[in-house]
């Protein structure tokens, strides 16, 4: 009978005001290092594109056949996959420099990387060899 009334597990400390894990505040998220699943290194990168905007759906369905039709009506392009759809094999990117940038936070330092590349976009066509 005493076993049924006694709280068990690690949530017991949190319900009594202790420092147990898995309480009502914060759940079982762990400690530090970001806010959830925001990506990371490589991993499960699927190749299929799921459009988020109406323009993206029109491009994927084949209703818009040329990128000039998008520019003709001055539509904002909010998905990088739209450009990849039209110009994917013709684009070449070049990285000049990668440098770390540190930001001081309350909990320590946050390191991000700044990328320098040429300002112009180089189009590679099949004619130029």
């Amino acid at each position: 009978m005493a076993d049924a009334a006694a709280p068990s597990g690690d949530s017991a400390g949190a319900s009594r005001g202790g420092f147990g894990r898995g309480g009502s505040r914060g759940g079982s998220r762990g400690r530090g290092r970001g806010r959830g699943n925001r990506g990371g290194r490589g991993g499960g990168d699927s190749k299929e594109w799921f459009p988020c905007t109406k323009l993206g759906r029109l491009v994927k369905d084949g209703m818009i056949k040329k990128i000039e039709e998008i520019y003709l009506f001055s539509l904002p392009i909010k998905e990088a996959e739209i450009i990849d759809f039209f110009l994917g094999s013709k684009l070449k990117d070049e990285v000049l420099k990668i440098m770390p940038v540190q930001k001081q936070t309350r909990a320590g330092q946050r390191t991000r990387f700044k990328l320098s590349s040429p300002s112009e976009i180089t189009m590679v066509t099949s004619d130029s060899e």
Side-chain angles (χ1 to χ4, degrees), residues 2 9 44 65 75 79 83 102 108 117 122 125:
K65 306 217 182 319
L75 298 173
E79 296 181 73
I83 300 298
Q102 290 185 334
S117 64
T122 307
T125 59

Side-chain angles (χ1 to χ4, degrees), residues 33-44:
R33 282 302 197 200
R35 298 161 71 181
N37 190 11
R38 290 196 172 200
R41 296 186 174 220

Side-chain angles (χ1 to χ4, degrees), residues 21-43:
R21 294 182 52 91
S24 61
R25 295 186 64 180
S28 59
R29 279 191 262 167
R31 299 181 55 163
R33 282 302 197 200
R35 298 161 71 181
N37 190 11
R38 290 196 172 200
R41 296 186 174 220

Side-chain angles (χ1 to χ4, degrees), residues 64-114:
I64 298 177
K65 306 217 182 319
K66 296 180 182 177
I67 197 167
E68 288 83 13
E69 295 176 28
I70 298 172
Y71 294 140
L72 180 67
F73 295 105
S74 301
L75 298 173
I77 299 173
K78 296 183 178 179
E79 296 181 73
E81 290 86 1
I82 295 173
I83 300 298
D84 292 341
F85 184 84
F86 291 115
L87 305 175
S89 61
K90 297 178 184 176
L91 289 177
K92 179 181 79 169
D93 55 350
E94 186 178 336
V95 177
L96 296 178
K97 184 177 173 184
I98 299 175
M99 51 189 288
V101 176
Q102 290 185 334
K103 172 183 174 181
Q104 188 70 38
T105 63
R106 272 192 249 165
Q109 289 180 341
R110 169 83 170 113
T111 303
R112 292 188 178 177
F113 293 91
K114 183 176 172 183

